[in-house]
Amino acid sequence: MTLKLKGLMALSLLFLLCSCEVKLEDNMRIVVKGQVQDQYQAAIPEAKITVQIRRGNYSGAQSSYVLGEGYSTADGQFSVISFYDGDEDFAIEVSAGDDYSSYVYKQNTVNFIPSDYTFNLETVALKAMADFNFEVLRTSGEGNTLTYSLTYTEGFCLEFYEGEQPNPYNNSCYPQRMVSQQLNDNGPDIEKTYRVPIGEPVVFTYSINDEPEITEIITVNAASYDFSFSY
């Protein structure tokens, strides 16, 4: 299916789904344009661009309403024609499946219309993601404990704008997350998988039997990266 046909089908579906709950701006269309690249400046084709309202911040809400959709071309470029609505929760989401991070542009459009009716996102950088397979095994016998923390980068970027300018105070772009736990006789081992951007460090800090902490920096450099630790 060609990209043009996909866009036409999506636009036709929007006409069928319009309801009185969403008040679209009369005779107004906007253009959302830009280019999608990965963290190595390589173009990402077939990335999905979704214009929507009532999305929520960190995941698509059940009450979200799609105003327009399109896809990036082979060189990562995109230009999507969409309906427009003045809403407190206007969003443009760029995603390329589970292999990449996601990007969300947020704006209060109740009293805002972009210049030339165009949202130019310029370059949207999505990061290729990896499975960080984390395993800890106790080999030293009962009574020994391990207290640890993992700090890693999450795979999403949320940017808020006020008018034409970004609002960095509300942004949450590739935030750091920390998880911690103590392993003991009640649970001496652990095995988990975390989704992290390729090339980003994971910080592993641990203490065995309440001894001074030790920190290791792990660089995730493969789509499936195994890390095993024993104590």
Side-chain angles (χ1 to χ4, degrees):
M1 183 180 296
T2 66
L3 296 179
K4 184 178 292 185
L5 182 57
K6 285 183 180 180
L8 289 174
M9 290 179 65
L11 195 58
S12 299
L13 181 60
L14 288 172
F15 279 112
L16 296 175
L17 294 179
C18 284
S19 70
C20 59
E21 296 180 0
V22 176
K23 197 171 184 179
L24 299 176
E25 298 294 336
D26 293 338
N27 300 317
M28 184 182 294
R29 302 292 185 272
I30 59 166
V31 176
V32 177
K33 67 179 184 178
Q35 183 180 31
V36 191
Q37 298 180 346
D38 66 14
Q39 62 263 59
Y40 308 109
Q41 289 78 52
I44 301 178
E46 291 285 330
K48 185 177 181 180
I49 293 83
T50 306
V51 183
Q52 56 192 307
I53 57 175
R54 306 175 188 173
R55 180 190 179 278
N57 285 344
Y58 298 104
S59 62
Q62 290 183 352
S63 60
S64 64
Y65 189 94
V66 176
L67 302 177
E69 287 183 346
Y71 294 84
S72 62
T73 56
D75 60 358
Q77 301 283 343
F78 61 86
S79 182
V80 178
I81 299 175
S82 170
F83 292 111
Y84 194 59
D85 182 54
D87 194 273
E88 293 181 355
D89 188 11
F90 175 88
I92 302 169
E93 181 173 2
V94 181
S95 61
D98 293 338
D99 291 338
Y100 292 92
S101 62
S102 61
Y103 171 84
V104 177
Y105 166 105
K106 297 295 292 286
Q107 169 84 264
N108 182 338
T109 58
V110 171
N111 297 305
F112 175 73
I113 296 175
S115 301
D116 299 323
Y117 303 99
T118 300
F119 287 91
N120 185 359
L121 302 188
E122 298 182 347
T123 300
V124 176
L126 304 184
K127 296 186 178 185
M129 300 294 290
D131 285 330
F132 176 66
N133 305 307
F134 177 70
E135 178 186 55
V136 177
L137 301 174
R138 186 172 71 180
T139 59
S140 56
E142 292 185 1
N144 293 295
T145 64
L146 176 78
T147 303
Y148 76 88
S149 68
L150 277 178
T151 303
Y152 62 95
T153 302
E154 293 195 296
F156 69 90
C157 180
L158 174 65
E159 289 190 325
F160 287 85
Y161 277 71
E162 292 183 0
E164 304 286 352
Q165 301 300 319
N167 180 356
Y169 299 105
N170 292 329
N171 288 351
S172 183
C173 193
Y174 298 111
Q176 295 287 298
R177 182 181 180 187
M178 186 180 75
V179 295
S180 60
Q181 189 169 342
Q182 183 181 70
L183 304 180
N184 50 39
D185 291 340
N186 294 324
D189 306 326
I190 192 168
E191 184 176 349
K192 284 189 175 182
T193 296
Y194 299 92
R195 293 288 287 169
V196 303
I198 292 178
E200 297 285 345
V202 175
V203 180
F204 176 49
T205 300
Y206 64 91
S207 170
I208 299 174
N209 297 328
D210 295 324
E211 292 292 324
E213 288 185 340
I214 298 174
T215 296
E216 293 187 24
I217 307 296
I218 307 155
T219 300
V220 178
N221 55 13
S224 183
Y225 189 96
D226 297 328
F227 177 80
S228 184
F229 181 84
S230 60
Y231 70 101

